[in-house]
Amino acid sequence: MTVVISSITDLRQRLLPVRRDGKTVGLVPTMGALHLGHRRLIELARRENDTVVVTVFVNPTQFDRNADLQGYPRTLEDDVAICREAGVDFVFAPDSAEMYPPGGQLAWVDVPALTEHLCGPARPGHFRGVATVVMKLFQIVQADRAYFGEKDAQQLAVIRRMVRDLNVPVEIAPVQTVREPDGLAMSSRNRRLTAEDRKTATTLSQALFTAEAIVRGGERSVDRVQAAVLPLFHRHPQIRLEYFSIVDAETLTPVETIDRPVLIAGAMWLGATRLIDNVMIAPV
Ligand code: AMP
């Protein structure tokens, strides 16, 4: 049975006997509008834990644009139905006042070194909002394992580092990016694309796969990989490319030569919708 809970106190009370009985708890933090990507995280959590908590919270502190926050899809009823079908025990869906009570948030979690590049510069405060809300969820749920998608690779790196640096007793489980049949990474934001933009959206994953193939073919120069790939974006005047970068997989700082594991990552805009994607590659 899936129980929907909106209060922190209620959730804590429900989880007390679970933990007292020595059962494990798996946590899947989401912003809702669940799709097959989220579904994969939930399935893994279901397989590896006695109790599964899915959180559905559109976290205002991680939005750098108010229009994006206002327009973010909210489909709680459908989300609960998906969770029910997937055998989730608790859906935690608090409102903003529950997570950020009046009086304001004075304590924040920041991992600045990992947010200097990629999405960081264009989204001031975003990762601070993410790290802070995830830390709050860790404190509320006290899960044994928490599941995060590799689609948001920078977010995953920030959370891993936060857990390490602040000794948070939780195991972070990374989950491979789930894609549409044409390669587009699944995302709640995809449903905001027009039919025309939906077709063009595959440019990002195609560019990443092309870059990956070039690197696998032996190319080690970032400049040359970029020179080969960037024209793919320029073919579509409706695309606004925010970045297409190759960074050290661990430090997330740009490299010139691909001589270690790297993350190839991009962000682009179609109309008012921002899409991100990445591939990880370890050259041999
Ligand atoms: P969101 O609701 O977009 O904040 O995502 C919640 C979690 O699902 C995050 O850990 C995401 O990385 C993960 N996620 C979102 N889309 C995908 C996807 N296509 N494949 C795998 N994980 C995903």
Side-chain angles (χ1 to χ4, degrees):
M1 230 227 348
T2 306
V3 182
V4 183
I5 295 175
S6 58
S7 124
I8 295 170
T9 314
D10 281 0
L11 180 63
R12 282 201 163 123
Q13 247 152 24
R14 295 277 196 158
L15 290 173
L16 271 180
V18 172
R19 231 172 282 105
R20 205 171 41 222
D21 292 348
K23 299 219 168 98
T24 55
V25 177
L27 168 67
V28 182
T30 82
M31 297 207 298
L34 300 185
H35 50 67
L36 291 174
H38 298 114
R39 189 63 197 250
R40 181 92 190 103
L41 272 63
I42 296 170
E43 278 163 15
L44 285 171
R46 183 64 287 169
R47 202 178 302 159
E48 295 172 355
N49 302 275
D50 299 313
T51 301
V52 174
V53 180
V54 172
T55 66
V56 175
F57 179 57
V58 182
N59 173 37
T61 65
Q62 73 186 69
F63 283 80
D64 45 290
R65 289 174 308 120
N66 201 38
D68 189 27
L69 173 62
Q70 299 306 328
Y72 200 85
R74 288 166 172 83
T75 60
L76 186 58
E77 236 173 81
D78 293 350
D79 296 344
V80 171
I82 288 170
C83 288
R84 199 164 276 138
E85 202 184 306
V88 170
D89 299 285
F90 301 107
V91 174
F92 178 52
D95 62 17
S96 277
E98 182 70 4
M99 291 299 281
Y100 298 101
Q105 181 82 13
L106 297 182
W108 296 91
V109 183
D110 232 335
V111 191
L114 291 178
T115 61
E116 265 168 36
H117 302 283
L118 306 179
C119 296
R123 304 199 67 188
H126 168 69
F127 289 107
R128 185 174 94 143
V130 169
T132 303
V133 81
V134 169
M135 183 60 121
K136 279 169 167 279
L137 294 172
F138 285 169
Q139 301 297 344
I140 293 165
V141 176
Q142 300 188 17
D144 296 272
R145 292 184 198 87
Y147 296 77
F148 292 91
E150 288 175 351
K151 188 201 150 233
D152 299 282
Q154 192 169 17
Q155 167 175 291
L156 177 60
V158 164
I159 289 163
R160 279 187 151 142
R161 190 66 194 212
M162 169 184 90
V163 162
R164 189 184 112 163
D165 287 359
L166 298 178
N167 306 90
V168 186
V170 65
E171 180 188 322
I172 302 301
V175 181
Q176 258 187 9
T177 302
V178 178
R179 298 179 179 283
E180 300 284 357
D182 64 5
L184 176 67
M186 290 196 182
S187 163
S188 305
R189 288 187 172 91
N190 292 350
R191 59 177 88 193
R192 295 205 317 223
L193 294 169
T194 63
E196 194 53 38
D197 283 348
R198 169 63 188 80
K199 283 189 217 146
T200 314
T202 54
T203 307
L204 183 52
S205 55
Q206 276 161 10
L208 290 166
F209 298 153
T210 304
E212 183 181 17
I214 293 171
V215 175
R216 286 203 196 285
E219 182 58 77
R220 293 291 175 262
S221 152
V222 166
D223 280 351
R224 282 200 291 267
V225 175
Q226 292 214 330
V229 169
L230 291 179
L232 297 175
F233 294 100
H234 300 149
R235 253 187 238 160
H236 304 277
Q238 66 273 44
I239 292 179
R240 275 184 300 127
L241 184 62
E242 187 181 296
Y243 67 81
F244 188 86
S245 306
I246 302 186
V247 298
D248 181 297
E250 211 165 297
T251 63
L252 305 189
T253 53
V255 297
E256 280 172 21
T257 306
I258 302 164
D259 53 3
R260 67 200 98 168
V262 292
L263 187 71
I264 310 178
M268 68 176 210
W269 291 80
L270 281 168
T273 304
R274 182 176 180 274
L275 301 175
I276 60 167
D277 197 356
N278 68 84
V279 295
M280 183 79 93
I281 174 162
V284 277

